[in-house]
Amino acid sequence: MNRDDDIRIAQEFRKRQNRQILAVAIALFLVLFAGVVHKRPDIFGAFSSSVLFGVQAVFIAAFIGFTAMNWRCPVCRNHLGGDINRRLCSKCGTRLQ
Ligand SMILES: [Zn+2]
């Protein structure tokens, strides 16, 4: 593998990493926001717990689905697991950053 490939892989990983961080932030925000809506029916109107639970379940499922698609090694498509700052792919050993 030459230097250009290394740079392209690092750029692709960086893009995936940024998308993943954004997805975590959005998922956390939505889950917290649903909690606030539940606690403050005076401001947001009364939603039943089952509706809010259903909405949160959809957010979480969407987040898991997004992660399964996005959080992969750019070279071998191996899922990268829980470490957002992973340096090497555990399967093919490609340097990611
Ligand atoms: Zn890999």
Side-chain angles (χ1 to χ4, degrees):
M1 242 187 248
N2 64 36
R3 184 98 187 97
D4 284 353
D5 286 333
D6 287 352
I7 291 168
R8 218 171 309 127
I9 291 163
Q11 282 172 342
E12 176 61 26
F13 176 75
R14 176 73 59 189
K15 243 189 281 173
R16 286 167 185 265
Q17 191 182 36
N18 287 337
R19 281 197 296 244
Q20 194 60 32
I21 290 167
L22 190 67
V24 170
I26 291 169
L28 273 178
F29 172 79
L30 291 174
V31 167
L32 290 176
F33 184 71
V36 172
V37 169
H38 183 57
K39 283 215 167 69
R40 296 300 301 267
D42 52 326
I43 297 173
F44 298 103
F47 292 94
S48 75
S49 296
S50 61
V51 169
L52 285 174
F53 182 78
V55 169
Q56 279 182 307
V58 169
F59 290 158
I60 291 164
F63 173 71
I64 290 169
F66 174 80
T67 300
M69 302 260 298
N70 179 61
W71 194 233
R72 291 180 177 278
C73 171
V75 177
C76 73
R77 300 310 206 201
N78 178 48
H79 196 259
L80 294 172
D83 183 1
I84 195 81
N85 277 313
R86 187 173 282 283
R87 297 198 165 277
L88 297 173
C89 172
S90 60
K91 193 175 176 201
C92 68
T94 297
R95 176 172 286 281
L96 298 169
Q97 58 176 336

